[in-house]
Every structure is written in C-alpha cells, then in structure tokens.
Amino acid sequence: MTVYHLHLFNDDDVLDEEGQEFADLDMAEREAIRNARDVIAEHVRHGHPINLNHRVEITDADGTILKVVQFGDCVCFAR
Amino acid sequence: MSAHQSLNLFVRKLSERSCLNEEERRAVLELEGQEVEYAPHRDIVRPGELTDFCCLIISGMAARFGQLPDGTRQITAVYIPGDMCDLYSLMLPKVEWALQALSSRLVLLKVPHHKMLHIVHAYPAVAEAFWRDCVADASILSQWVVNIGRRDALMRTAHLFCELGLRIEIAGLGHRTAFQLPVIQSQMADALGITPVHMNRVIRALRQQGLLLVQGRDVQVPDWNALAQAGGFESGYLAIDQRWRRLD
C-alpha cells in the first residue's frame, strides 16, 4: 500500500495533508473520481454552479503530481 | 487508562441514567475480563460472527459498521473509553453488523457473557441499567439516521463533532471545545456518509467560519454554541436520565 494525497481545487483549495493508502495509482484515481462526484453532487443539491475545470490532483507524499482528475471527466450530461 | 478506571467510567455512565445502589455498582466494577490490544482498522467482531463476550473500551476508539458484499463500509456508531460497545451482544450474540478498531491504539476489556449474565440475574437493577444503556445507544443511532438522511454535509459534520466532543466531555476525557480524535479521515468520512475529499472541504468551510479547527488528531471548537447551531445539534438525545425511576 502507498500513501497518496487527493487535493481538491474547487471554489476553494483544500489540501489533503493526511493522505490515504491505496494499492496503486489506479485505485487512487478511482477514489479521486468517486470523491469528485460526491463534491459535485453536493453542488447539485444546493443548486450551485459546477465548474467542469475544477479538479482533484493526486500527489505522492513528496507532493509530485501523479494524476489530475477534472470535474468534467467525472460527469456526463444528456438532453 | 486501566481496566479498573474504564469500569469506573462505565459505572458512572450507567449511574447517570439509572439508579444503582452501592452493591450493584460494585458488582459491575468487579467484572473481570481479558485485556486485549488491537491494531488500527482490525476487526474486533466480524459480520455474522458468534461472540461470547462484551467489549469495554479501556483506551482508544472503536466503531460499529455495516458492510456491503463489495467490502465498502458504513460506520454506524463510534465508541469511546468507558463505553461497553456491544452490550446488545448479550441478547444477540450473532449479528450482521460488526465492530472494528478505529484508533492507532485500542485496548479493550473483553468481558465473558456468562459473567455479565451472572450479575444481570443477581441484580435486576443492573439489568435495567444495561437495558437503558442499549436504549441510549439506539437514541444516538436514531440521530445518526436523521443526520445522514436529512442534514447536508456541513450540518452533519458539525453535528458529529458536537456529539463526540460532548460525549468525550461527559466521560471526563476532554472538553467539548478541545479534544483528541484519534481517527483517520477516511473513517471519519465513513461515519458521515461522505467521501474524504468532501469532508475535508466541509472542515475547511467550518474553519473559515471560525467554528472548527482540526489539526491532525487535535480538535478545537472556538465557538461551540455556533457549531451546535450550524449542525442543528440539540443534546437531549444524549441525556437519558431516568435515575428517579427504578422499575424493580
């Protein structure tokens, strides 16, 4: 297990100082998508706008960015 | 904390809700069991496992949880020192929910069911106090359901920090405005029914409003009444005082 940090860059920047353990980067990315969707869902519930460029950055313990998950990659819209 | 101090806390908690005389209090205080230390996140009782003991927390924190077939968990209760976390197991030794260690160092006193049953049979007032403790547990669970079902992420986070602070204060382990919470963020999020990133966002928002400061395991509440208001927290569900009423 490796510690990854999931930092949120939303209407406010929220750094993940503690980090979480995942088996690999793929698992961390899946979790980042799930977390981003949860934040988006709260925006939807409150009727707040969703900026599709907002993102979750996955870093290692040294702060190196390993992956960026944008809100736009986490939702799809249909009409 | 020692097993004796923890039993003292348990008896004090029972006595705040139920009328127990000196002999009955002593019977609970003299309960014996096995002291066991658990590694963080380890399961104490697995879902569906048959148990023959109750767990009193000596130090650290534990949680009750439910689990889906894919392994994801929802924490449905948090226990602190002095809590007998599965008193219900005396009546229901095999349940589909389970107990896990939360903190980095959890020490339990595992009290065999037959010893618990012995004092329950000898002292009906102890049975009454145990029953009321289970009712108090159900009262908290009921609030948690309202929290998850009806309060938004900010309200439910504020509510949980109010509840834990107050319970820690009542147990004499800290103050509602400054206490230690030896729980990692993903577990705290599991208890709130939100993801860790979302929870961190909420905690930051509460910090910007001057309501809550979480630094590692240290929690500070600069304005407790304001946090309680933000969470719609009313403490009545924790105070089940029926000392005036003894049924036997």
Side-chain angles (χ1 to χ4, degrees), chain B residues 26 179 200:
Chain B
R26 199 179 325 120
F179 57 93
N200 287 338

PDB file of all heavy atoms in Angstrom, chain B residues 26 179 200:
ATOM      1  N   ARG B  26     -20.833  -1.992  42.701  1.00  0.00           N
ATOM      2  CA  ARG B  26     -19.643  -2.810  42.947  1.00  0.00           C
ATOM      3  C   ARG B  26     -19.653  -4.061  42.066  1.00  0.00           C
ATOM      4  O   ARG B  26     -18.628  -4.480  41.551  1.00  0.00           O
ATOM      5  CB  ARG B  26     -19.539  -3.186  44.426  1.00  0.00           C
ATOM      6  CG  ARG B  26     -18.120  -3.614  44.798  1.00  0.00           C
ATOM      7  CD  ARG B  26     -17.950  -3.976  46.270  1.00  0.00           C
ATOM      8  NE  ARG B  26     -18.755  -3.185  47.177  1.00  0.00           N
ATOM      9  CZ  ARG B  26     -19.682  -3.695  48.004  1.00  0.00           C
ATOM     10  NH1 ARG B  26     -19.918  -4.990  48.014  1.00  0.00           N
ATOM     11  NH2 ARG B  26     -20.361  -2.913  48.812  1.00  0.00           N
ATOM     12  N   PHE B 179     -10.517  18.614  22.211  1.00  0.00           N
ATOM     13  CA  PHE B 179     -10.402  17.179  22.485  1.00  0.00           C
ATOM     14  C   PHE B 179      -9.589  16.488  21.394  1.00  0.00           C
ATOM     15  O   PHE B 179      -9.297  17.084  20.357  1.00  0.00           O
ATOM     16  CB  PHE B 179     -11.785  16.530  22.649  1.00  0.00           C
ATOM     17  CG  PHE B 179     -12.720  16.711  21.477  1.00  0.00           C
ATOM     18  CD1 PHE B 179     -12.798  15.754  20.473  1.00  0.00           C
ATOM     19  CD2 PHE B 179     -13.541  17.832  21.385  1.00  0.00           C
ATOM     20  CE1 PHE B 179     -13.664  15.920  19.395  1.00  0.00           C
ATOM     21  CE2 PHE B 179     -14.415  18.003  20.311  1.00  0.00           C
ATOM     22  CZ  PHE B 179     -14.476  17.045  19.316  1.00  0.00           C
ATOM     23  N   ASN B 200     -13.065  16.985   3.914  1.00  0.00           N
ATOM     24  CA  ASN B 200     -12.015  17.990   4.110  1.00  0.00           C
ATOM     25  C   ASN B 200     -12.479  19.365   3.658  1.00  0.00           C
ATOM     26  O   ASN B 200     -12.137  20.380   4.272  1.00  0.00           O
ATOM     27  CB  ASN B 200     -10.742  17.587   3.350  1.00  0.00           C
ATOM     28  CG  ASN B 200     -10.026  16.435   4.036  1.00  0.00           C
ATOM     29  OD1 ASN B 200     -10.215  16.201   5.231  1.00  0.00           O
ATOM     30  ND2 ASN B 200      -9.222  15.705   3.287  1.00  0.00           N
TER      31      ASN B 200
END
